[in-house]
Amino acid sequence: MLNVHNLSVSFGGEYLFEEISFRLNGGNRAGLVGKNGAGKSTLLKLLNKDMPLDTGVIAIEKDIKIGFLRQDIDFVEGRSVLDEAYQAFEEIKALELKLDEINHQLAERTDYESDSYSQLIIDLNDVSHHYEILGGYNYQGETEKILQGLGFRREDFDKKTETFSGGWRMRIELAKLLLQTNDVLLLDEPTNHLDIESIIWFEQFLNNYTGAVVIVSHDKMFLDNVTNRTIEISLGRIYDYNKPYTEYLVLRNEIKQQQVNAQKNQEKEIQQAERLIEKFRAKSTKASMAQSLIKKLDKIERIEVDEDDNSVMSLRFPISVVPGKVVVEIENLSKAYGNNLVLNDINLLIERDTKTAFVGQNGQGKSTLAKIIVGELKHEGHLKLGHNVQIGYFAQNQAEYLDGNKTILDTMIDAANEKNRSKVRDILGSFLFRGDEVDKYVKVLSGGERNRLALAKMLLQPFNVLVMDEPTNHLDIKSKNVLKQACLNFEGTLILVSHDRDFLQGLTNKVYEFKDQKIREYLGDVDFYLEQRKVENFRAIEKKQAVVVEKAKPKSTNSFQDQKKLKSLKNQLSSVESKIGSLEKEIKEIDHKLLVDYDATIAKPNFFDGYQAKKKKLETLMQNWEILTIDIESLG
């Protein structure tokens, strides 16, 4: 499908990667990983022929169509969401115009017996047949399905694209890409602008996709759920294995350990040969044997151990002063943008030392509330910051606030004060900006490098409350792990706006979901929230179905019979609830075993059949629970 051979690219005399080779086949879903600045986005541009090669060859089979999701998009103003999404169907839209033109001519003409009229009928049949083959009668429904999967509501379809934020416009671009009949998808950070529910939908889409996919992503969980191959760019080389990211890391460590062991054994053999050479060289009778050993030694191919780029930034958020017990107090807060009401009558209390996550679909007010807390937006209602509260704020578009015409060093010096100006180079060093790198201009930095610089700037100001809006966007996996550890170690109050499940896991002790202008509290981390939301979504669907069934039933007028039936239903409900509890516990224990020792767990005979049977049984019990509950409510 696509073959890369001895590809090299350099910038400023330094190679990003040198003489790398790999092949991409149908069904490959490859995660392209590596540190910020390693050359991942550059490789995608090369595969899409957006930039020239230094040396090497990229061979693509004939008629292969490539779709590329870039980070920078440019829409034509005035189009609705649907109209923009329909741009994915260029050939179908062209045929629609042709059909309109033919039908218009047929309606106006009366020379029914002429050859030209007959030709129009033939043309109409040909174009209609071609239109049907291309899916002309289905594309509108497919477009709506994809848009809804990516989080758009039906009422959004007719809105102009320019009324949406950059993140939502990126979703439209992604929808167009998924609607096209591409053989290869090149996706550069596709989850950066998706909320958790949309990511889960997107994972299912990609797992059913039959073409080849190359994904640049720093979302470890997304990579594990979607990819079946990992290509890592490290120190100019690539490491390519048919494993999702986490399994690849394990395999890579095993291979490296084997290399280390083999290298040690080889070194012993070499040392033994060198000792013999020295011993035989002095004796004339053994001189020929010494020469033979020397030749043999020269021919040995030395075993090399793969080098790892283990450099990571060093990050620790210092706390300034201890604030009062209540950090943020919000009462009856509302916020609207023109006629668009985003938050309505919000009440929220955030206490000292808590770690809180704001989650939910994009556009539901998460970033808005974060900006209100830090004083960037006006609002209606009451907001009070506690005693001695000092806020550090990392905005979603923090990197955009950096001046591209300044150097890294100048950016930091300008943000520093007299007390910490002398520490600027040390701080930059801990964020991997060392030596001459501090003289680079901001405009040449990758997205991840800019985020690292923005984080470094934060350390120049004291704070005890840290508000971070999508801080992991563009950060490589190692840097994300460092940031997560720094957040775990932070002794102050943390408020996180994020859709990154892996990053949020175990990090917060409270989750607020933003939906329909309101917020709802979940006392746990993101796994607890997702578990609750899935159950809620399922129950909401079942409840609607059960209500329809219930309306068709005639109501009993016999109160004695009602009481008897009510008692029976309650007994049944109690039994079902007991079974649900036991089954949920069993499934949870299996999930834990899978997490601790995946290979040993799945090795058990008929493991997956039994596991799925338990889940199916739980689903049936949940349905019974819903129906019983509604029956009890109707009688009660």
Side-chain angles (χ1 to χ4, degrees):
M1 186 174 276
L2 188 152
N3 193 35
V4 176
H5 183 66
N6 287 344
L7 179 64
S8 299
V9 171
S10 61
F11 288 102
E14 290 187 14
Y15 280 103
L16 267 180
F17 34 81
E18 188 174 7
E19 295 187 351
I20 64 171
S21 299
F22 62 90
R23 180 174 176 79
L24 204 62
N25 299 311
N28 285 166
R29 295 191 298 276
L32 186 59
V33 301
K35 286 187 60 181
N36 295 135
K40 303 182 296 294
S41 295
T42 299
L43 183 55
L44 289 191
K45 289 174 183 174
L46 290 166
L47 295 177
N48 199 52
K49 299 190 174 178
D50 282 2
M51 59 186 293
L53 319 175
D54 282 2
T55 59
V57 176
I58 298 178
I60 302 172
E61 291 178 14
K62 190 180 178 183
D63 298 328
I64 291 294
K65 290 175 68 177
I66 296 178
F68 184 20
L69 181 70
R70 297 174 174 82
Q71 287 297 308
D72 49 333
I73 53 173
D74 187 21
F75 284 171
V76 175
E77 287 195 8
R79 285 179 184 158
S80 69
V81 171
L82 267 182
D83 288 337
E84 185 61 48
Y86 288 157
Q87 300 307 306
F89 304 98
E90 290 181 21
E91 197 171 354
I92 288 176
K93 299 299 284 184
L95 288 174
E96 281 183 344
L97 290 174
K98 204 167 185 178
L99 284 171
D100 286 344
E101 185 183 333
I102 293 171
N103 283 318
H104 183 68
Q105 289 185 52
L106 288 172
E108 287 186 341
R109 293 177 58 165
T110 56
D111 53 334
Y112 306 124
E113 305 300 326
S114 67
D115 291 341
S116 58
Y117 191 89
S118 297
Q119 185 59 48
L120 278 176
I121 297 294
I122 293 169
D123 290 344
L124 180 64
N125 286 332
D126 288 345
V127 174
S128 297
H129 182 61
H130 192 195
Y131 183 76
E132 185 178 358
I133 288 172
L134 290 177
Y137 299 110
N138 303 320
Y139 80 92
Q140 292 178 332
E142 188 66 21
T143 301
E144 292 183 11
K145 187 172 80 174
I146 295 290
L147 286 172
Q148 286 179 311
L150 290 172
F152 288 94
R153 295 170 297 184
R154 286 192 173 277
E155 51 264 39
D156 297 327
F157 290 170
D158 295 324
K159 293 178 182 176
K160 303 300 181 189
T161 58
E162 57 264 29
T163 63
F164 289 88
S165 66
W168 281 97
R169 288 201 294 272
M170 184 64 78
R171 290 189 193 208
I172 301 170
E173 190 68 15
L174 179 58
K176 286 161 61 177
L177 200 66
L178 302 185
L179 287 163
Q180 294 166 357
T181 53
N182 292 303
D183 303 291
V184 180
L185 291 178
L186 307 176
L187 306 174
D188 194 359
E189 304 267 19
T191 62
N192 270 2
H193 300 287
L194 299 182
D195 52 62
I196 293 172
E197 289 187 2
S198 296
I199 291 172
I200 292 169
W201 175 89
F202 189 37
E203 287 173 353
Q204 292 170 343
F205 180 95
L206 290 177
N207 283 323
N208 293 323
Y209 180 70
T210 56
V213 188
V214 182
I215 306 166
V216 172
S217 178
H218 301 127
D219 186 335
K220 188 170 73 174
M221 190 175 289
F222 176 71
L223 290 172
D224 282 342
N225 290 344
V226 168
T227 62
N228 52 23
R229 180 178 176 185
T230 299
I231 301 173
E232 180 181 9
I233 303 176
S234 177
L235 300 173
R237 297 178 60 187
I238 65 164
Y239 300 90
D240 184 2
Y241 294 96
N242 291 323
K243 298 282 184 184
Y245 182 72
T246 300
E247 290 181 36
Y248 156 75
L249 287 180
V250 174
L251 182 61
R252 179 113 144 73
N253 286 334
E254 288 175 357
I255 290 170
K256 188 176 177 184
Q257 190 57 51
Q258 289 169 6
Q259 289 175 338
V260 169
N261 295 336
Q263 189 186 55
K264 285 179 181 178
N265 291 333
Q266 187 186 62
E267 194 60 38
K268 287 178 183 177
E269 291 175 10
I270 291 169
Q271 288 173 1
Q272 175 70 12
E274 286 173 343
R275 282 195 295 271
L276 289 172
I277 290 167
E278 286 300 314
K279 186 177 179 180
F280 294 156
R281 187 178 277 163
K283 299 178 181 178
S284 57
T285 55
K286 300 286 180 77
S288 60
M289 191 178 290
Q291 288 301 315
S292 176
L293 282 171
I294 289 169
K295 287 177 183 177
K296 186 180 177 182
L297 207 57
D298 288 340
K299 289 179 182 177
I300 289 178
E301 189 174 333
R302 304 291 175 117
I303 295 171
E304 293 184 1
V305 177
D306 293 338
E307 285 186 75
D308 281 337
D309 190 351
N310 290 318
S311 54
V312 292
M313 65 179 182
S314 173
L315 178 58
R316 188 173 184 86
F317 296 117
I319 192 165
S320 54
V321 294
V322 177
K325 182 173 174 55
V326 175
V327 170
V328 180
E329 185 179 359
I330 293 173
E331 290 181 3
N332 309 122
L333 183 144
S334 298
K335 175 62 183 176
Y337 296 96
N339 294 325
N340 181 23
L341 183 63
V342 179
L343 298 170
N344 184 28
D345 200 24
I346 299 296
N347 294 287
L348 177 65
L349 189 74
I350 296 178
E351 295 185 336
R352 182 181 63 218
D353 300 341
T354 54
K355 288 182 168 60
T356 304
F358 289 174
V359 302
Q361 284 192 333
N362 289 351
Q364 294 291 331
K366 305 185 302 293
S367 296
T368 295
L369 187 57
K371 288 176 181 176
I372 289 171
I373 290 171
V374 302
E376 279 201 1
L377 289 177
K378 293 181 179 179
H379 58 89
E380 293 181 4
H382 174 75
L383 183 146
K384 181 183 177 184
L385 296 181
H387 177 65
N388 275 343
V389 166
Q390 297 176 348
I391 296 179
Y393 177 48
F394 185 93
Q396 184 174 162
N397 57 343
Q398 187 76 34
E400 294 175 16
Y401 293 139
L402 301 172
D403 187 342
N405 295 315
K406 285 184 180 180
T407 65
I408 294 171
L409 183 59
D410 288 341
T411 299
M412 289 289 285
I413 288 174
D414 291 348
N417 54 41
E418 290 182 5
K419 290 182 179 179
N420 55 29
R421 193 164 287 127
S422 61
K423 298 178 182 177
V424 160
R425 281 187 177 271
D426 290 338
I427 294 172
L428 285 174
S430 68
F431 281 81
L432 305 182
F433 297 114
R434 296 164 182 153
D436 294 339
E437 286 188 346
V438 299
D439 296 322
K440 279 184 180 178
Y441 282 96
V442 170
K443 60 187 174 187
V444 303
L445 301 179
S446 70
E449 288 170 327
R450 290 188 187 198
N451 265 23
R452 288 211 314 264
L453 179 56
L455 283 169
K457 266 184 72 179
M458 288 187 66
L459 300 191
L460 297 172
Q461 303 297 328
F463 53 83
N464 49 32
V465 176
L466 180 55
V467 180
M468 306 191 89
D469 191 355
E470 302 291 4
T472 62
N473 283 358
H474 305 294
L475 282 183
D476 61 63
I477 292 169
K478 287 181 179 177
S479 296
K480 272 172 51 175
N481 291 339
V482 171
L483 176 60
K484 181 172 181 175
Q485 195 57 49
C487 289
L488 283 167
N489 294 335
F490 180 54
E491 295 177 358
T493 307
L494 182 67
I495 300 172
L496 277 173
V497 179
S498 180
H499 63 259
D500 191 325
R501 294 162 294 170
D502 179 61
F503 181 71
L504 288 176
Q505 272 183 328
L507 182 53
T508 61
N509 46 34
K510 194 176 290 185
V511 171
Y512 284 98
E513 181 191 33
F514 286 64
K515 190 175 183 182
D516 299 329
Q517 304 157 3
K518 300 290 184 181
I519 63 173
R520 181 173 179 182
E521 183 182 66
Y522 294 83
L523 296 175
D525 72 349
V526 70
D527 284 342
F528 176 77
Y529 158 73
L530 282 175
E531 181 185 316
Q532 295 296 307
R533 283 291 281 118
K534 284 177 185 176
V535 171
E536 278 182 14
N537 285 347
F538 176 76
R539 287 183 179 175
I541 293 166
E542 292 299 327
K543 193 168 184 177
K544 288 177 185 175
Q545 292 173 347
V547 167
V548 173
V549 173
E550 185 63 30
K551 282 180 180 176
K553 293 180 182 177
K555 267 200 158 186
S556 172
T557 54
N558 189 318
S559 59
F560 175 75
Q561 290 297 327
D562 284 352
Q563 291 299 320
K564 190 175 179 181
K565 186 178 180 182
L566 185 62
K567 186 176 180 180
S568 173
L569 288 171
K570 284 183 176 180
N571 289 336
Q572 290 177 54
L573 182 66
S574 178
S575 174
V576 168
E577 285 177 342
S578 176
K579 289 176 183 176
I580 287 172
S582 299
L583 207 51
E584 283 180 336
K585 188 178 178 181
E586 287 177 34
I587 291 170
K588 192 172 182 180
E589 286 174 357
I590 295 171
D591 289 340
H592 179 70
K593 287 177 183 177
L594 283 170
L595 193 65
V596 173
D597 194 346
Y598 179 83
D599 291 332
T601 306
I602 65 168
K604 293 177 182 176
N606 303 320
F607 166 76
F608 281 110
D609 290 341
Y611 185 48
Q612 291 302 323
K614 287 181 187 293
K615 286 196 168 185
K616 189 71 178 173
K617 187 177 179 182
L618 180 61
E619 195 173 303
T620 304
L621 287 170
M622 285 293 193
Q623 291 175 0
N624 293 341
W625 185 93
E626 280 295 341
I627 293 167
L628 286 167
T629 303
I630 289 164
D631 286 346
I632 289 169
E633 286 175 357
S634 67
L635 289 170

